[in-house]
Amino acid sequence: RACGTREMAPSPREPDIIDHRPRDFWSVKNHPLSGITAVQWARLCWRHFRDIDVCTYWPRLVFLTIMSLLNTCGALVDTLVYGAAVRKQPLNDEPVFIIGHPRTGTTHLHNLLSKDDRFVCATTFSVGFPSSCLCLRAIAPLMGLIMDNKRPMDDMALGWDTPQEDELAVNMMSGGVSPYMPLLLPRKEKSFRKYYRFLTGAVPAEPKKNDGSTALKSDNATRTRGGKAAASDDYCDPQSLLAWKTSFLHFLKKTQYAAEKGATRKRLLLKSPVHTARVALLREMFPKATFIFVHRHPCAVFQSAAHMADAYYWQCYLQKPTVQDTQEFILYQGALLHRAYMEDISGVDEGRKTEVRFEDLDGDLLETVQKLYEDLGWREHFERTKPTLLRYQSSLKDFKKNAFTRELSAEAVAVVRRRWRQWFDDLGYQ
């Protein structure tokens, strides 16, 4: 973006209820595009060059450009050495998807289930450097040079071999065809909403509510894959869907190949909160998929999400947001993920889906995981995995969850209850 006048923020639709402390303009650590290649970086910049705040974030842009050139060398070696094998790699057709809104405990459950040796997971290194992760595995421990050893938002351990979410890789490989793009360009958040569900077809008209904002309910609707109402924000062009699918499947093949080199004995254990909006799409791609939905009290989720935005998002941006940009990203995402999940999950067969309350997982880890295994017909595997789970549980004894110094304000609670009302009603939260 040129160094001139900044775009005016839209008129606020909600009161400001989150912290907004602009900083870390020179930070280059922990950036979600650190593994992007030159071609992918050029494609992303070409699409969005008018929106990038060059004068504010030029150190980050220089860093990413240098990294993209280095990554391209690794990607070329990856393609030459492993390309043919990866293309031939079959996928286990029964992946397990851990879904749920960000900050509901999906990472905790992902870490837990990854201890079951029936599963293979993407790692922090493979999602961080998806185009070169096979040939550069030997230097994976060097990620510490550009990554903290704990997550900025909650102090959970973060190592190069830690289980990690696949959408981070797909965002880079597709050149930004992902709902994670608002972490880079927050003022353009609305333009990336179509990448949550990837519905294609005729886009319905958008009626307006009395306050002039776009309605997000069934009056603004056409049909989804499951035959239910969908908002017009859910719709994208077929080319974007193809780009996402191609990148997603290629990354899954690399993940399976890294673990088994041609075999498919192990099931993919995948976790990305945005998959919560894609149950129908993922079922089309993997009819035998299993879905584990993690949920938590909406007010606790909002407080944790707002903290994450303040603690981490400033290390990602290429465009300076307003408080309303960040706040609306959190609120809209929460409503959309819940709506899409409730529309799609009924189409999944019993025995291939279950739900976990974070409060139960936090209160009695082993009992909750055992019930999960029983719900999914994995009873015989629990006893075998139990010793590993106990060791992992013991490793967490010194970990302390975020202890917020102040409660959500009454104003914030009122906004969350109104915007996420269906979440409260459908999942029985008070």
Side-chain angles (χ1 to χ4, degrees):
R1 181 181 176 81
C3 302
T5 305
R6 199 174 160 266
E7 291 178 1
M8 294 294 291
S11 299
R13 290 179 290 174
E14 306 286 1
D16 295 347
I17 55 174
I18 66 171
D19 291 332
H20 186 72
R21 302 181 297 166
R23 62 191 187 281
D24 292 335
F25 301 120
W26 288 63
S27 172
V28 296
K29 264 197 167 185
N30 307 315
H31 200 276
L33 296 186
S34 295
I36 201 166
T37 66
V39 173
Q40 295 159 358
W41 179 230
R43 185 186 303 133
L44 190 150
C45 289
W46 176 256
R47 289 173 179 168
H48 305 292
F49 74 96
R50 294 181 182 275
D51 306 300
I52 296 172
D53 292 338
V54 175
C55 290
T56 302
Y57 292 108
W58 67 266
R60 195 166 291 166
L61 295 169
V62 171
F63 168 77
L64 292 175
T65 300
I66 293 172
M67 289 299 298
S68 75
L69 297 174
L70 297 174
N71 292 327
T72 299
C73 297
L76 289 173
V77 176
D78 237 38
T79 301
L80 290 172
V81 177
Y82 299 104
V86 170
R87 285 192 296 272
K88 294 176 183 177
Q89 172 68 45
L91 291 174
N92 184 297
D93 64 352
E94 297 186 79
V96 177
F97 292 94
I98 299 173
I99 56 178
H101 190 282
R103 317 307 300 154
T104 55
T106 55
T107 297
H108 185 28
L109 187 61
H110 195 202
N111 290 340
L112 276 168
L113 296 187
S114 72
K115 305 306 176 185
D116 187 330
D117 61 12
R118 294 177 302 141
F119 298 125
V120 57
C121 302
T123 66
T124 301
F125 180 71
S126 67
V127 305
F129 296 87
S131 298
S132 54
C133 57
L134 296 177
C135 70
L136 297 182
R137 280 176 292 183
I139 65 170
L142 296 179
M143 277 193 76
L145 297 174
I146 59 171
M147 180 188 77
D148 294 327
N149 60 4
K150 292 183 178 180
R151 301 200 310 179
M153 58 281 200
D154 55 17
D155 281 345
M156 284 190 73
L158 184 63
W160 64 269
D161 57 349
T162 306
Q164 193 54 266
E165 56 183 281
D166 49 273
E167 186 72 15
L168 295 170
V170 177
N171 184 34
M172 286 185 278
M173 296 172 75
S174 64
V177 182
S178 169
Y180 281 170
M181 281 298 292
L183 302 186
L184 309 174
L185 304 172
R187 299 199 304 268
K188 286 179 63 68
E189 179 266 331
K190 287 185 179 180
S191 68
F192 303 118
R193 292 177 178 180
K194 59 190 177 183
Y195 299 145
Y196 282 102
R197 303 189 77 180
F198 288 107
L199 298 182
T200 57
V203 180
E206 295 194 20
K208 303 290 182 178
K209 297 189 290 187
N210 291 335
D211 63 0
S213 61
T214 300
L216 181 59
K217 54 184 180 180
S218 60
D219 62 348
N220 173 21
T222 184
R223 313 301 288 178
T224 72
R225 291 180 179 86
K228 297 182 180 179
S232 61
D233 282 339
D234 296 341
Y235 283 78
C236 76
D237 57 283
Q239 291 77 17
S240 293
L241 173 59
L242 179 62
W244 179 85
K245 273 188 173 182
T246 301
S247 300
F248 180 55
L249 291 173
H250 185 65
F251 180 70
L252 296 190
K253 286 189 172 192
K254 295 188 85 167
T255 302
Q256 192 101 47
Y257 177 82
E260 300 194 273
K261 292 182 173 58
T264 58
R265 294 180 299 272
K266 295 191 174 187
R267 300 176 70 174
L268 289 158
L269 180 67
L270 304 169
K271 189 275 293 191
S272 282
V274 293
H275 289 334
T276 310
R278 301 170 178 162
V279 170
L281 172 60
L282 295 171
R283 281 184 63 239
E284 285 182 2
M285 299 172 69
F286 300 100
K288 296 181 181 179
T290 294
F291 298 90
I292 304 172
F293 176 63
V294 189
H295 57 91
R296 185 182 185 185
H297 194 288
C299 288
V301 171
F302 180 82
Q303 187 172 32
S304 186
H307 172 73
M308 179 178 177
D310 183 57
Y312 174 53
Y313 290 178
W314 294 103
Q315 298 179 21
C316 303
Y317 294 140
L318 301 179
Q319 183 189 67
K320 191 174 177 182
T322 66
V323 63
Q324 282 290 311
D325 293 325
T326 307
Q327 184 173 294
E328 184 60 20
F329 171 61
I330 296 170
L331 289 168
Y332 177 86
Q333 185 183 68
L336 177 277
L337 293 182
H338 180 78
R339 171 175 62 82
Y341 171 77
M342 296 304 294
E343 288 176 1
D344 293 347
I345 196 61
S346 60
V348 179
D349 295 337
E350 297 297 332
R352 294 196 180 276
K353 63 182 177 182
T354 190
E355 296 185 357
V356 176
R357 291 174 69 99
F358 172 81
E359 293 81 0
D360 295 338
L361 189 64
D362 192 45
D364 193 329
L365 185 150
L366 276 181
E367 182 179 331
T368 303
V369 174
Q370 182 175 8
K371 182 180 182 303
L372 181 156
Y373 271 61
E374 291 173 352
D375 288 347
L376 297 175
W378 301 345
R379 185 191 299 268
E380 70 276 12
H381 300 287
F382 179 75
E383 289 302 323
R384 182 172 53 80
T385 308
K386 185 176 179 180
T388 310
L389 293 175
L390 285 170
R391 287 194 295 272
Y392 177 69
Q393 184 180 32
S394 178
S395 73
L396 299 176
K397 63 180 183 299
D398 295 325
F399 175 75
K400 291 181 174 59
K401 291 185 299 181
N402 286 332
F404 299 110
T405 56
R406 54 193 173 94
E407 297 294 323
L408 285 179
S409 66
E411 189 174 42
V413 170
V415 171
V416 172
R417 287 189 178 278
R418 177 166 53 79
R419 293 290 297 272
W420 292 355
R421 178 176 58 83
Q422 288 304 122
W423 189 340
F424 283 90
D425 294 345
D426 295 337
L427 300 178
Y429 288 104
Q430 300 300 314

